[in-house]
Amino acid sequence: MKTINDFNFKDKKTIIRVDFNVPLNDQFEVTDVTRIQSAKPTIAKILADGGSCVLMSHLGRPKGKQEEFSLKHIVSKVAEILGTEVKFVDDCIGDAVKEAVDNLNSGEVLLLENLRFYGEEKSGDVDFAEQLAAWGDIYVNDAFGTAHRAHASTTIIAQFFEDKKCFGQLLAREIESIDKVLNNSEKPVLAILGGAKVSSKITVIENILDKVDHLIVGGGMTFTFIKAQGGSVGDSICEDDKMELALEILEKAKAKNVEVHIPVDVVAADAFANDANTQVLDVTEIPDGWQGLDAGPKSLAKFDEVVNACKTILWNGPLGVFEMETFSKGTIALGHSIENATKNGAFSLVGGGDSVAAVKQFGFADKVSYVSTGGGAMLESLEGKSLPGIEAILN
Ligand code: AMP
């Protein structure tokens, strides 16, 4: 696996695919700088070598050229975080870009305009990719968030660089972290899958059963499993058409010697609201009019035991409706358990969607081993799929 550490970038122009798809408020200010910060080590190494950086990214889902999706809004924030001036050109191909790239000196950074102002980016157009490729002697991909897309800047472009292409530091760490969980893991291995629905996690569960010793199933998925086994789940979220599948998963887990842990008690509410009346109930005895919205204390004690007995921990999906304070306690308690296990030497990876939001919101981000930056890319990796953006660098 070639990374930026295998290159000396002195006097080289480097075209880097970063993921600067950051959230903006209605004043067009960046409200979460994580993705910009994550790209900094790669850019810093190239500048320190004496190279120059041409940065390309998408932002949002523009339909053609739409001012509100311009990367010009983030230039000052990128400059502030990198601690260096950042030049900007209001296109990503064409004469203006050529001039800006030609005038770029060693140690300088140039940010191109939103790649998705061109439909050719998402369609993976080869001509468009070749035009982007002209802006660098070396191609670096550091955008994990789009590594599962065969877009022009993430995948197609790589063919124009033969051996002059590599992973940035962020993407390399993502690949290593996933590998540490799925392939080179220290046992016992635990996967915690929470979130709303079985249907969105089924491929992950199926793939992960071959990799883990323990599986915690939590969140809204709990109730499909409980009802399938004959429990009463009241008004809890439940996918009746996935009950058969839930039973099959339990069978498969048994055959593979995977211990499955499902909540035994829940915090149930009489409405889907933060100020609803609540009571702790046995998970199999939830009456109509009540819905389980968080894991209960007995479940959390059991999960704490399991987490602390494991050496490798993957966490995807919250244990409850963490967006509401009343139902956030299970997710927070689980975060503390993982924090503790990590302190005692376990490797913990948090990835894929809402669990990342939860660890950030509750301050666990620097207390676990690694927090993934890619939602969809992470899920596809966990599903066992190879990602085109990664393959394009490897091949
Ligand atoms: P996902 O994107 O699949 O990881 O699902 C995350 C969402 O699942 C969050 O918005 C949670 O509020 C929601 N969730 C977690 N537990 C429950 C539950 N018991 N009932 C309903 N929604 C839940």
Side-chain angles (χ1 to χ4, degrees):
M1 184 169 101
K2 257 196 193 164
T3 74
I4 49 167
N5 297 326
D6 297 308
F7 289 84
N8 186 333
F9 291 89
K10 187 165 171 39
D11 298 329
K12 300 285 184 211
K13 286 189 173 132
T14 311
I15 177 92
I16 314 177
R17 179 50 157 104
V18 289
D19 181 2
F20 284 173
N21 183 29
V22 289
L24 302 178
N25 63 18
D26 48 15
Q27 310 294 311
F28 299 107
E29 293 158 342
V30 182
T31 55
D32 182 348
V33 296
T34 313
R35 285 180 166 161
I36 301 173
Q37 268 162 349
S38 302
K40 185 175 175 179
T42 292
I43 297 165
K45 142 81 178 159
I46 291 166
L47 296 181
D49 275 3
S52 57
C53 299
V54 181
L55 307 178
M56 56 178 175
S57 178
H58 76 284
L59 176 66
R61 295 178 173 179
K63 292 188 176 58
K65 196 167 176 166
Q66 280 181 287
E67 181 89 357
E68 64 260 44
F69 294 105
S70 171
L71 281 164
K72 72 179 180 193
H73 301 304
I74 74 164
V75 174
S76 59
K77 192 45 92 181
V78 176
E80 181 190 319
I81 289 169
L82 296 182
T84 187
E85 189 200 342
V86 172
K87 299 182 170 176
F88 178 72
V89 55
D90 67 353
D91 209 335
C92 59
I93 52 170
D95 292 342
V97 182
K98 181 169 183 341
E99 195 184 331
V101 171
D102 285 347
N103 290 328
L104 198 66
N105 296 313
S106 293
E108 290 185 334
V109 180
L110 170 71
L111 176 63
L112 306 183
E113 182 55 286
N114 195 341
L115 293 159
R116 290 196 189 164
F117 283 179
Y118 291 88
E120 288 86 344
E121 162 64 357
K122 281 179 87 168
S123 67
D125 186 85
V126 179
D127 261 3
F128 180 70
E130 190 170 14
Q131 291 179 68
L132 296 173
W135 311 143
D137 307 306
I138 303 172
Y139 168 64
V140 175
N141 189 353
D142 210 16
F144 183 62
T146 46
H148 58 316
R149 306 283 186 220
H151 295 169
S153 70
T154 64
T155 302
I156 311 303
I157 187 175
Q159 66 191 271
F160 298 104
F161 290 89
E162 284 191 25
D163 56 348
K164 299 266 188 304
K165 57 187 174 186
C166 66
F167 297 111
Q169 190 164 311
L170 170 70
L171 187 41
R173 277 197 75 190
E174 295 276 359
I175 296 169
E176 281 160 11
S177 300
I178 292 165
D179 184 64
K180 234 172 155 168
V181 167
L182 294 187
N183 305 314
N184 290 303
S185 45
E186 197 181 336
K187 284 176 158 286
V189 184
L190 162 68
I192 304 158
L193 298 178
K197 290 181 171 178
V198 177
S199 47
S200 62
K201 300 281 162 84
I202 184 63
T203 332
V204 175
I205 301 180
E206 282 176 342
N207 184 49
I208 221 102
L209 281 180
D210 286 322
K211 317 277 184 184
V212 302
D213 305 291
H214 294 270
L215 174 66
I216 291 178
V217 174
M221 282 199 286
T222 305
F223 307 101
T224 303
F225 281 83
I226 295 297
K227 190 170 174 188
Q229 295 177 91
S232 302
V233 299
D235 296 350
S236 306
I237 185 172
C238 182
E239 291 167 280
D240 286 352
D241 61 332
K242 294 290 174 296
M243 291 201 295
E244 197 76 28
L245 199 59
L247 293 177
E248 277 171 32
I249 290 169
L250 293 175
E251 279 298 312
K252 272 190 199 159
K254 206 169 169 191
K256 291 175 195 283
N257 270 327
V258 178
E259 267 191 64
V260 181
H261 311 273
I262 300 172
V264 290
D265 58 351
V266 287
V267 177
D270 62 358
F272 190 80
N274 194 38
D275 60 356
N277 296 307
T278 63
Q279 57 176 328
V280 174
L281 293 172
D282 186 299
V283 71
T284 60
E285 293 173 4
I286 306 172
D288 287 348
W290 293 80
Q291 52 188 309
L293 296 180
D294 199 7
K298 279 189 211 151
S299 312
L300 295 173
K302 177 66 189 172
F303 294 170
D304 183 61
E305 206 179 282
V306 176
V307 166
N308 280 291
C310 287
K311 284 283 164 216
T312 303
I313 300 159
L314 165 74
W315 182 16
N316 171 282
L319 280 191
V321 183
F322 74 99
E323 298 92 336
M324 297 184 207
E325 205 242 320
T326 311
F327 311 107
S328 63
K329 297 186 183 73
T331 299
I332 294 174
L334 180 68
H336 280 299
S337 301
I338 297 174
E339 172 184 359
N340 193 53
T342 310
K343 235 185 254 165
N344 291 326
F347 179 79
S348 53
L349 167 62
V350 182
D354 275 332
S355 36
V356 172
V359 293
K360 281 189 193 161
Q361 185 179 328
F362 302 128
F364 291 116
D366 53 359
K367 301 191 168 118
V368 296
S369 308
Y370 193 70
V371 181
S372 176
T373 56
M378 179 71 188
L379 278 181
E380 290 200 14
S381 302
L382 297 178
E383 287 171 354
K385 294 183 186 149
S386 66
L387 310 186
I390 292 175
E391 292 299 315
I393 298 278
L394 294 176
N395 297 330

